Amino acid sequence: MNLISRPSKENLKSYLPVGITLFSLSFVDVFVNAFFNYNLLGFFPSQISYFSPLIFGFIGLYLIRIEFSGIRFLDILNRNINSNNFNALLTLLTVFIIIKSIPPLLNWFILDANFLGNSKDDCTGDGACWVFIKVWFNRFMYGLYPDAEQWRINTAFLILFIIVGVSFFVSAKLKKYFILFLVFVYPFLGIELISGGSFGLKYVETAAWGGLSLTFIISAFAILFCFPIGVFLALGRRSSLPAIRYVSIGFIELWRGVPLITVLFMSAVMFPMFLPDGTFIDKLIRVLIAITLFEAAYMAEVVRGGLQALPKGQYEAARSLGMGYWKMNLLIILPQALKLVIPGIANTLLALVKDTPLIFVVGLMELAGMIGLAKTNPKWLGMAMEGYVFAGLVFWIICYAMSRYSQNLEKKLSTER
Amino acid sequence: MGKIIELKKVNKWFDKFQVLKDIDLEVAPQEKIVICGPSGSGKSTLIRCINRLEEHQEGNIIVDGTELAENTKNIEKIRAEVGMVFQQFNLFPHLSILDNCTLAPIWVKKLPKKEAEEVAMKNLTRVQIDDQALKFPGQLSGGQQQRAAIARALCMEPKIMLFDEPTSALDPEMIKEVLDVMVDLAKGGMTMIVVTHEMGFAKEVADYMIFMDEGKIVERAKTKEFFENPKSDRTKLFLSQIL
């Protein structure tokens, strides 16, 4: 009997059209159901109707599962998403779930969302109230920084972007000076510009700093300083001098063993108690130091992983050429070890960026903190969803960019061509 | 003739296990010495003590007039004078062959970059891989890598070259190209201490043969005598197995 034989190349002509029709039918049914809320197969009894797309799709996929059909597209399809009954079922479920979830998301984000207006009352649709983000955007970016002075933050970041941008296009020799400027001059220049107090710039206390710009400032400083400190700690932990080794181990284990939120709290609340009367260190600086040291401990362990992965022969070869400890580490060991642990370093730095919202415990508000503040404003109650979706999106963009950059770096530095 | 390397009653332990027992050895400038012996006999440890990659616990090691000891300040200077070639090549994989060769001259000997590159190209030509100078170690064959490693050591213009089983990690067809370079080096008058099982090479270049077993120098003799008329039974047994 030809009709109930397994689908194969011989009966391809009769099975293929039937299979494709059934599969398409199930697909169209789910699609119409999801987007137009109309049940094509509603004439079936309700229990069957609910599962009908799965059943039709399953039979359809079974009928087109023809090995070596000679049709290239069909073969690729069968191999990848339709290799057996179980995979066919998974394929159908995945596709259906995606189709089903698109319309509600689309509605909330765009179709039913509100973009126009200036207050919560303008949000009449069922979807997201993006008016909230629009109205508060300035605060989300700059925190409580005075409006009239915001050009200073813009200028500081503009200078940064210009330097970084230009440094990609200059020769290797000039690039060195760009990097030196970025590491040793720019941070102080930028802070001076944003904090003010001299050169005729109005002083803006750090408590007023906030929003996304504060996220960037904290992340950038912490990344800049935690990296070298982490490298030194990693080297220290492998040092042959017991004093240096035990100090490094002690430091790393102490900072790694304490939650960041505790460290931040202590840095802001307890630390001043130990200072002599009259001395005062700005809260933001204390927080910066705390985050830097905390992440440095993590960085140290990541780097140590790379150091341990290097074969002993590399150390011996470097020493046999007459290199001392520092030359050996700076020229031979670290370049290789750091290259090995780029994924781990990226991981730690991403975590650092995403840890910055924790500074709310000491009363500093970066992006997520500002959103937390805005959503408790009596005029804007109930906007938590919009706010946090926005925060999530911004953090995702930042972190994804960093992740891509680290992957590019990995490829660029690879010498195993 | 003065001695460039002198070892007197050198003893070394790894924990409780004694790897070197009362080693006495003298090497004159331009002498070529081949050390052989079964694995675990301490021959690698011995030459690694000469540039202090391993520390000895007892006895004296004097290299080019400087005694190697725990408080030797200028150990880096001694190491710069003693070139070493490893079994596993140990090229720096993140640097091109040329950079492998110029790194130490630039940073340790403070040669200007241009001069260092000239020296490097001269030595790379000598080992016949000047055409590979801009490639990375991972792109070269084992034999080419080992020749590059020899060139890297030569770029420091060492007075002594130590070879720690330089051909043991190579495919048979690549052994010859490395040995040829070493023979050429020997004929150029370099002081060489070579740990190897390549007896053909030993017969061709060695002034002295040293046979080690269980941390001791069992036999030390002129090359011809060593092969034709070995004195100890242990040496005879070893030679009968290896030849």
Side-chain angles (χ1 to χ4, degrees), chain A residues 48-68:
Chain A
I48 300 179
S49 158
Y50 192 75
F51 290 105
S52 52
L54 265 186
I55 297 166
F56 283 112
F58 190 72
I59 299 172
L61 282 177
Y62 176 78
L63 291 179
I64 63 169
R65 196 180 302 138
I66 299 163
E67 281 184 355
F68 311 117

Side-chain angles (χ1 to χ4, degrees), chain B residues 112-169:
Chain B
K113 193 171 179 226
K114 211 167 152 241
E115 208 174 308
E117 277 177 1
E118 277 166 22
V119 174
M121 285 315 292
K122 193 188 80 195
N123 283 308
L124 286 173
T125 312
R126 188 172 181 185
V127 300
Q128 295 170 10
I129 46 166
D130 44 320
D131 51 335
Q132 315 280 345
L134 297 178
K135 288 194 184 168
F136 285 88
Q139 298 166 298
L140 267 55
S141 74
Q144 288 172 326
Q145 287 192 49
Q146 190 60 298
R147 285 187 279 152
I150 294 174
R152 179 178 69 180
L154 289 177
C155 284
M156 290 298 285
E157 284 163 355
K159 294 182 179 167
I160 303 158
M161 284 286 283
L162 307 174
F163 292 84
D164 187 2
E165 307 206 24
T167 56
S168 299

Side-chain angles (χ1 to χ4, degrees), chain A residues 312-325 327 331-333 335-336 339 415-417, chain B residues 48 51-53 76 79-80 82 84 86 90-94 103-104 107-108 110 136 139 152 156:
Chain A
K312 214 172 128 221
Q314 292 292 311
Y315 292 86
E316 291 179 347
R319 281 159 67 199
S320 79
L321 288 167
M323 293 185 191
Y325 179 82
K327 279 177 194 155
L331 298 172
I332 307 297
I333 304 304
Q336 293 185 63
K339 195 170 80 183
T415 52
E416 270 117 59
R417 273 165 284 185
Chain B
R48 287 155 63 86
N51 69 352
R52 212 169 163 75
L53 285 181
E76 272 97 42
R79 283 190 182 137
V82 182
M84 178 125 185
F86 299 86
N90 294 348
L91 289 170
F92 306 131
H94 62 303
L103 192 72
W107 290 90
V108 179
K110 312 281 179 205
F136 285 88
Q139 298 166 298
R152 179 178 69 180
M156 290 298 285

Side-chain angles (χ1 to χ4, degrees), chain B residues 194-212:
Chain B
V194 184
V195 173
T196 188
H197 298 294
E198 296 295 329
M199 290 303 138
F201 168 79
K203 281 177 189 165
E204 190 177 346
V205 305
D207 297 315
Y208 279 99
M209 291 294 296
I210 285 175
F211 177 71
M212 285 184 73

